[in-house]
Amino acid sequence: MSDPTRKPVLIDLALQGGGAHGAFTWGVLDRLLEVPWGRLDGISGTSAGAMNAAVLAHGLLEGGREGAKAALEAFWRRVSNAALLSPFQRGPLEILTGRWTLDHSPVFIMSDLASRVLSPYDYSLQGANPLRRILEESVDFGRLNAAPIKLFVTATNVRTGRGRIFRNADLSPDALLASACLPTLFQAVEIDGEAYWDGGYTGNPTITPLVRECDSTDTILVQINPIERPGVPRTAAEIHNRLNEVAFNAPLMKELRMAALLRRVADPGSGEGRVWSKMRIHRISSTMMTDLSASSKLLAEWAFLCMLRDEGRRAADEFLDAHGDDVGVRSTYDLDELIEGF
């Protein structure tokens, strides 16, 4: 892994969305940018994953790897500063016990209940998303087409229910806000006469363009939504949390199962078959994410974001120690187990 003579390996990244939990991905990216043999080819991202991808690409243009690391930190610092005035804050008991949750916050509970009976169209907050200003300050969208990596950002077309992929030349603050637009919190984002919601409903993230449009044959999935949880959820909050995880993981799992089947049946001699048969998948994740509830995705305290960043760096270190030498050689995430029983 640390061999200075190792030849460069082209790598794609697939970055999940998950609100403030995207700071875990920040940490993973921060560590991967320090790997001398890693050469980023493409990044597919949804919601917070899309924002991490765009900020990283902007930073690379501004100052190479160190510029990317600095841009990511500056972005998440802006997110934290903007959240200082947010009504979603931990209570004294959570602060005293060191619990990162809003599950007992009266404001969060009222907001959650209100979202069941009120629509974002019932109150006039369109354009009030503070992330717009943060994105405009963090990314020079006019230069992204010159970025050294291909970007793929997923949003969900409200009318058709299908995902749309925004590429470098298409990216704008609206495209990233569309990718992160939760329909119970924000009005749909309109682009070119079409309305869009969160891309997690159709691709979290989308893998196909990485396989078809990039030269790399290695994709590292950075997963922040747990696939498995022990036990059965009992409380209303636990059930709601697990339903969200299953729903936002479903498009990804479906696409990975499709990839596993294509690898089994694809003709390695044909153009399309050769692409799928050569694909190698890796995954970076953390069991710590199962300890966090859905409500903490709205928490943006700097200490919380830094804790997630540090866990992301640790998880990336663990992956590199265990599988760094496998990247460019073999898959380390067993896709075949995803189709067992199907």
Side-chain angles (χ1 to χ4, degrees):
M1 180 202 65
S2 59
D3 183 358
T5 65
R6 182 176 180 180
K7 293 181 179 179
V9 179
L10 281 177
I11 297 170
D12 295 330
L13 299 176
L15 310 181
Q16 280 199 318
H21 293 184
F24 171 84
T25 302
W26 163 31
V28 172
L29 297 176
D30 193 68
R31 179 64 184 91
L32 292 181
L33 285 165
E34 298 169 0
V35 177
W37 48 262
R39 295 289 184 271
L40 288 176
D41 187 21
I43 305 179
S44 177
T46 297
S47 191
M51 295 179 190
N52 275 320
V55 172
L56 183 149
H58 165 84
L60 286 175
L61 285 169
E62 292 294 308
R65 293 178 183 235
E66 289 304 315
K69 288 164 69 73
L72 285 164
E73 180 169 359
F75 168 76
W76 285 101
R77 175 68 79 171
R78 290 185 179 110
V79 169
S80 179
N81 289 341
L84 292 174
L85 300 177
S86 169
F88 297 111
Q89 304 286 346
R90 289 187 300 158
L93 181 60
E94 284 73 35
I95 294 173
L96 184 65
T97 57
R99 297 183 62 213
W100 299 107
T101 182
L102 292 171
D103 287 352
H104 306 292
S105 161
V107 174
F108 175 77
I109 293 171
M110 287 189 294
S111 174
D112 185 51
L113 291 173
S115 69
R116 317 294 173 90
V117 294
L118 294 176
S119 153
Y121 294 88
D122 292 330
Y123 40 87
S124 180
L125 288 179
Q126 180 72 338
N129 191 333
L131 279 174
R132 179 180 296 278
R133 178 180 56 81
I134 293 171
L135 289 170
E136 291 171 346
E137 293 174 350
S138 302
V139 179
D140 184 347
F141 289 92
R143 294 186 63 201
L144 283 185
N145 204 33
I149 53 179
K150 305 177 187 73
L151 299 176
F152 308 97
V153 170
T154 304
T156 302
N157 185 302
V158 178
R159 179 178 60 84
T160 66
R162 298 174 60 182
R164 173 177 171 181
I165 307 298
F166 294 88
R167 293 165 174 80
N168 296 55
D170 308 319
L171 289 177
S172 65
D174 278 341
L176 294 183
L177 291 175
S179 183
C181 180
L182 289 172
T184 57
L185 292 180
F186 302 104
Q187 296 180 22
V189 178
E190 187 170 311
I191 302 173
D192 300 329
E194 294 281 3
Y196 292 93
W197 281 339
D198 196 297
Y201 297 110
T202 49
N204 193 19
T206 303
I207 303 294
T208 302
L210 296 176
V211 178
R212 288 182 168 175
E213 301 180 36
C214 295
D215 295 324
S216 170
T217 53
D218 284 79
T219 296
I220 299 177
L221 168 65
V222 181
Q223 192 153 31
I224 58 179
N225 293 312
I227 293 178
E228 296 184 4
R229 276 188 181 271
V232 177
R234 301 287 185 181
T235 68
E238 289 172 347
I239 292 170
H240 185 65
N241 181 42
R242 188 56 182 152
L243 281 173
N244 278 337
E245 288 175 347
V246 171
F248 279 104
N249 276 329
L252 171 66
M253 301 310 294
K254 182 178 180 180
E255 197 169 9
L256 290 177
R257 289 190 191 101
M258 178 196 73
L261 287 169
L262 284 173
R263 289 204 315 176
R264 283 190 177 184
V265 303
D267 177 4
S270 69
E272 186 76 8
R274 183 167 58 252
V275 169
W276 287 100
S277 64
K278 293 172 64 177
M279 181 186 66
R280 293 184 287 266
I281 295 287
H282 316 275
R283 181 176 65 167
I284 296 177
S285 61
S286 169
T287 56
M288 189 204 76
M289 305 307 285
T290 62
D291 297 329
L292 301 175
S293 68
S295 68
S296 64
K297 293 179 179 181
L298 296 174
L299 269 177
E301 294 179 41
W302 184 241
F304 181 53
L305 299 181
C306 287
M307 184 271 288
L308 289 169
R309 175 203 61 195
D310 293 344
E311 178 61 16
R313 284 189 58 90
R314 187 206 64 77
D317 255 332
E318 184 178 75
F319 168 81
L320 291 169
D321 287 341
H323 301 299
D325 292 336
D326 295 316
V327 178
V329 179
R330 62 182 65 85
S331 288
T332 58
Y333 182 34
D334 185 7
L335 293 182
D336 289 335
E337 70 177 11
L338 298 178
I339 55 177
E340 296 300 327
F342 274 79

